[in-house]
Amino acid sequence: FPEMLSNPKLVLVQGTLNVVIKQNVTLSCLSEPGPPPVRYTLFKHNQQVSALKRSDLTPALFTLTISSASDTGEYKCKAEYNNSSGGKYSNSLNFTLIEPISKPVLSSPTSQAKKGQNVTLSCFSENGSLPITYLFFRGKQNISPQKTMQKREAAVIFLCIDSLSDFGTYKCKASNSFPNNTKYSNAFNFTLADERSHSQPLIISLGLILLLLIIGFALAIPFLIIPLYKTSE
């Protein structure tokens, strides 16, 4: 009855399509209607993984253990009657390996700021499956909407240092689809820039120049007085 065989449906009945190492998943493959017996074969990238026979209208269940990245990718199943040269293929299911994220790094181009100054903070996790979602905090207070990065790049926020409270401790956290995997960054603090520090070198330089002029004038006095004294004689 090859012409009565329908394309089987491949369904995930246990686990998720985003998988981690050592995770178990179960796939169900069933072709209906059509008289049994039916042979079901599971393929990964056109390579046979397993085969089961069913003499009734119950689905073939394939349980897999994701041991490495090579176990991920596209899966299909094939339904056929025994000793049949034909057969029909199912839809495909694609497994993706997800990895935990590394501890994010919180940084800024400057660590000193003045009141009223605009500053930036960037948060970046070097490893982990994309997308990665970042959230920024000052103390325990969330200071920005979450930023979800689809590419391997830092999340950046812009701040204005309005008051002394803005010089508090900043952190960010990163998370992805890996279960129970949220990581917090290092702490980062802005320090208040001493506005007088820019004028101090100039004042010191002017003071040294004035001192040198006084010393030079004092050394020159004898040479100025002696000729005048001789002229008066």
Side-chain angles (χ1 to χ4, degrees), residues 136-143 159-161 163-172:
F136 293 81
F137 298 88
R138 182 175 61 245
K140 295 182 179 181
Q141 181 183 3
N142 174 18
I143 58 172
L159 303 171
C160 181
I161 304 297
S163 63
L164 291 178
S165 62
D166 295 328
F167 290 95
T169 299
Y170 292 85
K171 282 189 176 184
C172 68

Side-chain angles (χ1 to χ4, degrees), residues 44-78:
K44 178 176 71 69
H45 297 306
N46 299 320
Q47 181 179 0
Q48 181 175 328
V49 175
S50 182
L52 295 171
K53 290 183 180 180
R54 286 289 179 267
S55 58
D56 53 23
L57 293 179
T58 59
L61 298 178
F62 300 96
T63 298
L64 309 172
T65 299
I66 306 299
S67 301
S68 66
S70 62
D71 295 325
T72 60
E74 184 184 66
Y75 284 80
K76 285 186 177 183
C77 73
K78 179 183 180 183

Side-chain angles (χ1 to χ4, degrees), residues 1 18 38 51 77 80 92 105 129 167 171 191 193 203 205 209 231:
F1 310 92
N18 291 328
V38 174
C77 73
E80 58 188 333
S92 62
V105 175
S129 303
F167 290 95
K171 282 189 176 184
T191 57
I203 294 174
S205 298
I209 293 172
T231 303

Side-chain angles (χ1 to χ4, degrees), residues 35 45 49 55 62 68 73 96 98 111-112 119 136 163 176 186 208:
H45 297 306
V49 175
S55 58
F62 300 96
S68 66
T96 302
I98 57 174
S111 61
Q112 291 189 332
V119 296
F136 293 81
S163 63
N176 64 359
N186 54 294
L208 288 173

Side-chain angles (χ1 to χ4, degrees), residues 15-107:
T16 59
L17 292 178
N18 291 328
V19 293
V20 299
I21 295 297
K22 297 182 179 179
Q23 180 177 335
N24 293 326
V25 294
T26 301
L27 302 176
S28 166
C29 186
L30 178 63
S31 177
E32 57 179 1
V38 174
R39 172 185 170 92
Y40 293 99
T41 306
L42 183 68
F43 293 89
K44 178 176 71 69
H45 297 306
N46 299 320
Q47 181 179 0
Q48 181 175 328
V49 175
S50 182
L52 295 171
K53 290 183 180 180
R54 286 289 179 267
S55 58
D56 53 23
L57 293 179
T58 59
L61 298 178
F62 300 96
T63 298
L64 309 172
T65 299
I66 306 299
S67 301
S68 66
S70 62
D71 295 325
T72 60
E74 184 184 66
Y75 284 80
K76 285 186 177 183
C77 73
K78 179 183 180 183
E80 58 188 333
Y81 291 110
N82 290 335
N83 302 320
S84 171
S85 59
K88 293 192 176 181
Y89 286 89
S90 72
N91 56 296
S92 62
L93 291 178
N94 209 313
F95 290 98
T96 302
L97 184 66
I98 57 174
E99 297 175 312
I101 53 176
S102 56
K103 180 179 178 178
V105 175
L106 183 64
S107 62

